[in-house]
Amino acid sequence: MSRVFTWLDRLSLKGRLGAGFGILIVLLALGGASTLQTRYTQNERVQELINRDIRGRSHLKEARVHMALLGRAVRVAALAGSVEARAAGLAEVQAATAGVEREMNLAKPLLLASETQTDFERLDLHYTAYGRNVQRLVELLRLGKQTEVLAWINTNEFRRDGVAANELMLQISKKREAFLQERVAELEAIFDRGLRGLAAMLVGSTLCAILVAVLIGRAVRRPLVTLRQEVETLAAGDLARTIPHTQPHHEFGDLARAIAVLQTEASQAAAQ
């Protein structure tokens, strides 16, 4: 602490006040910057999570749409009354199949996580099985076995895996939506803790500012008190004392040197 006062004693009154206000401004700036950085980081993380989740769930929704189109295309091809209609239906089957696979491949890297990994594994199994059933149906239609196809597409064996795959896509979407809500709530809790930390920082900054004010006040008061005591000593007739604070080149130094001049003149007058 003595080093602090020694450093302050070397400063002018303007320098001391400037140092005090400067320290206070720095403390407040640090607190404000910390708040802005925390909020900015939180917003970025939340926005990234939301964007990834929205894109992933959008792709799954599109995959479910293509699954519905695939089911419709299968029935159109099975019920076709002409070779041309059957060929058009089979083309729709291929397009819908490609659409399902494309959207699932786009959704998986965006939504794959620990809570959805098992669901994606089951989805792959059921969709692969459903795809084999569709491929078998296409082969039967190309062989002209329409009666066998019509009997087969209405069985639980044909529809089971497709229904399961569709339900799993819906389940994954719901899980990710619930996860996102929980994650956002966690980030909000982290931000709230950050606000409490900021409040503690502001309290600490206020205490530091009070301490700085006390130090600046003492740094201003100490030389004044000392010089006043020296003036009182001179007035009492003690002219042999060494006047302190005559070295620094600031307001208090000027005052101390002026008192030293008075001391010298009083000593010369007393000697005559």
Side-chain angles (χ1 to χ4, degrees):
M1 189 65 71
S2 61
R3 292 183 180 180
V4 175
F5 284 120
T6 301
W7 174 71
L8 289 173
D9 285 342
R10 295 173 184 170
L11 298 177
S12 65
L13 179 59
K14 182 179 180 180
R16 299 177 196 192
L17 294 176
F21 282 114
I23 292 172
L24 178 59
I25 290 172
V26 168
L27 291 173
L28 293 176
L30 289 175
S34 176
T35 303
L36 291 176
Q37 180 62 33
T38 300
R39 189 62 182 177
Y40 178 76
T41 302
Q42 185 213 25
N43 285 341
E44 275 196 333
R45 294 175 66 183
V46 169
Q47 195 60 46
E48 181 182 358
L49 281 173
I50 291 174
N51 289 340
R52 283 178 59 87
D53 214 73
I54 288 176
R55 293 200 308 273
R57 285 188 284 137
S58 176
H59 288 307
L60 274 188
K61 182 178 179 180
E62 288 297 317
R64 294 181 64 218
V65 170
H66 284 291
M67 282 286 289
L69 293 175
L70 177 56
R72 175 183 175 277
V74 165
R75 283 164 176 75
V76 168
L79 295 172
S82 65
V83 175
E84 293 78 9
R86 184 176 299 115
L90 291 176
E92 290 182 10
V93 169
Q94 292 180 348
T97 300
V100 173
E101 294 174 357
R102 181 183 64 251
E103 297 300 331
M104 285 177 58
N105 290 333
L106 290 172
K108 190 171 183 178
L110 296 173
L111 300 178
L112 182 61
S114 58
E115 70 275 3
T116 59
Q117 183 173 356
T118 301
D119 292 326
F120 269 110
E121 291 173 354
R122 293 173 57 203
L123 174 59
D124 289 339
L125 290 174
H126 284 293
Y127 181 73
T128 300
Y130 184 64
R132 286 196 298 266
N133 289 340
V134 172
Q135 186 60 36
R136 179 187 170 193
L137 178 143
V138 170
E139 292 173 357
L140 290 173
L141 285 176
R142 286 174 178 169
L143 293 173
K145 298 181 179 181
Q146 188 174 16
T147 303
E148 185 176 342
V149 168
L150 289 173
W152 188 44
I153 62 174
N154 292 319
T155 64
N156 184 58
E157 179 185 359
F158 177 80
R159 295 182 300 173
R160 179 180 56 216
D161 289 303
V163 172
N166 189 66
E167 290 178 350
L168 281 167
M169 284 190 279
L170 182 60
Q171 181 175 316
I172 290 171
S173 293
K174 290 181 177 179
K175 278 190 176 181
R176 286 300 301 178
E177 183 176 5
F179 170 79
L180 180 62
Q181 292 175 351
E182 292 176 1
R183 188 59 180 146
V184 170
E186 289 176 4
L187 291 174
E188 289 292 341
I190 292 173
F191 181 67
D192 288 341
R193 289 196 295 271
L195 286 180
R196 289 193 292 270
L198 175 62
M201 181 185 294
L202 290 177
V203 171
S205 299
T206 302
L207 294 177
C208 289
I210 293 173
L211 177 61
V212 169
V214 170
L215 291 176
I216 296 297
R218 289 188 62 184
V220 172
R221 188 176 66 254
R222 280 203 324 159
L224 288 177
V225 171
T226 302
L227 293 175
R228 186 195 67 193
Q229 292 173 347
E230 294 301 326
V231 171
E232 291 174 351
T233 301
L234 290 176
D238 186 357
L239 304 178
R241 294 174 62 87
T242 300
I243 305 299
H245 305 299
T246 57
Q247 296 300 320
H249 296 284
H250 52 55
E251 295 87 347
F252 299 112
D254 294 341
L255 181 58
R257 286 189 290 274
I259 294 173
V261 171
L262 291 177
Q263 181 191 41
T264 301
E265 291 178 352
S267 298
Q268 291 175 352
Q272 292 177 356

